[in-house]
């Protein structure tokens, strides 16, 4: 991954700056939690895919960095909600938000981050981007609900399993590549 990331490290720093800026709020606890999220970020695979897809087509633009940041926001919002639903205590080697700030604030922070990703999508002024994000968000929710319902079954079919991972994971990865390509 380092070999892939090194040539786009400046781009990824711009995404990180955009991510932090887009989450800024006059509400102090939101900034505190946003700082926690920025420090506890994962590998950043989704923003990497946005940047690489943009670079295949042309040079990244400010819209590319905002698209990558909003994808990361959308991803983080879903992780926060998933951790509450699954009662997970650890994420990326650290405590989950709901173990620090409890469920109510965690769900509301997830909602805030989702709302900020939507306002960022609108600022892209690209209906195709909004359509891509809306469709992938719906599929991710659908996949999470299907996984929850399938967890009650003793066994699931291969088709059911592939549908869940297609909705939960592949939909957002596909959106990353599409947004990168149309952002330049």
């Amino acid at each position: 991954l380092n070999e892939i990331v090194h040539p786009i490290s400046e781009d990824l720093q711009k995404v990180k700056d955009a991510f932090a800026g887009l989450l800024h709020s006059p509400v102090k606890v939101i900034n505190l939690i946003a700082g926690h999220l920025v420090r506890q970020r994962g590998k950043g695979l989704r923003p990497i895919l946005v940047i690489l897809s943009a670079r295949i087509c042309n040079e990244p633009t400010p819209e590319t960095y905002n698209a990558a940041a909003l994808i990361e926001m959308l991803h983080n919002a879903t992780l926060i909600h998933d951790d509450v639903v699954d009662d997970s205590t650890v994420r990326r080697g650290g405590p989950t938000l709901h173990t620090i700030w409890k469920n109510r604030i965690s769900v509301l922070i997830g909602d805030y981050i989702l709302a900020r990703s939507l306002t960022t999508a609108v600022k892209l002024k690209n209906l195709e981007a909004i359509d891509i994000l809306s469709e992938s968000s719906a599929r991710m929710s659908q996949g999470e609900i299907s996984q929850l319902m399938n967890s009650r079954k003793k066994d699931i079919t291969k088709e059911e399993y592939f549908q869940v991972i297609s909705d939960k994971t592949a939909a957002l990865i596909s959106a990353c590549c599409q947004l990168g390509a149309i952002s330049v």
Side-chain angles (χ1 to χ4, degrees):
L1 190 60
N2 287 337
E3 286 181 47
I4 295 168
V5 170
H6 181 70
I8 60 169
S9 60
E10 289 180 26
D11 294 319
L12 293 175
Q13 184 58 50
K14 290 177 183 177
V15 172
K16 185 176 180 180
D17 294 344
F19 179 83
L22 291 167
L23 289 182
H24 184 75
S25 169
V27 178
K28 290 181 182 178
V29 72
I30 292 174
N31 295 326
L32 178 68
I33 294 171
H36 174 80
L37 290 174
V38 169
R39 287 186 303 278
Q40 211 178 23
R41 286 186 51 184
K43 296 177 290 294
L45 177 63
R46 286 146 198 86
I48 290 168
L49 290 172
V50 173
I51 298 299
L52 291 175
S53 296
R55 286 204 167 275
I56 287 171
C57 299
N58 208 337
E59 287 293 313
T61 65
E63 288 78 19
T64 306
Y65 304 126
N66 283 335
L70 81 86
I71 284 284
E72 191 69 356
M73 288 190 295
L74 179 60
H75 179 60
N76 274 275
T78 62
L79 293 179
I80 291 166
H81 289 148
D82 287 353
D83 288 343
V84 170
V85 169
D86 298 339
D87 201 26
S88 300
T89 58
V90 177
R91 166 82 54 198
R92 298 175 179 147
T96 56
L97 287 186
H98 78 97
T99 60
I100 300 170
W101 287 284
K102 305 299 177 211
N103 285 349
R104 285 188 289 184
I105 194 76
S106 296
V107 168
L108 293 172
I109 288 293
D111 292 348
Y112 172 78
I113 295 170
L114 176 61
R116 292 299 296 147
S117 71
L118 295 174
T119 58
T120 303
V122 170
K123 288 178 183 174
L124 293 176
K125 297 181 181 177
N126 183 324
L127 287 177
E128 185 180 6
I130 294 168
D131 184 48
I132 291 165
L133 289 163
S134 299
E135 187 61 35
S136 64
S137 296
R139 286 189 60 202
M140 289 178 352
S141 295
Q142 179 178 292
E144 188 64 33
I145 292 167
S146 293
Q147 179 179 331
L148 184 63
M149 299 314 296
N150 287 337
S151 71
R152 297 175 185 199
K153 293 178 161 183
K154 293 198 186 287
D155 57 350
I156 64 170
T157 67
K158 185 168 66 171
E159 290 78 19
E160 289 171 321
Y161 172 76
F162 281 117
Q163 186 62 54
V164 167
I165 63 173
S166 175
D167 288 339
K168 280 188 62 175
T169 306
L172 191 58
I173 288 174
S174 173
C176 294
C177 297
Q178 291 174 347
L179 287 177
I182 67 172
S183 70
V184 294

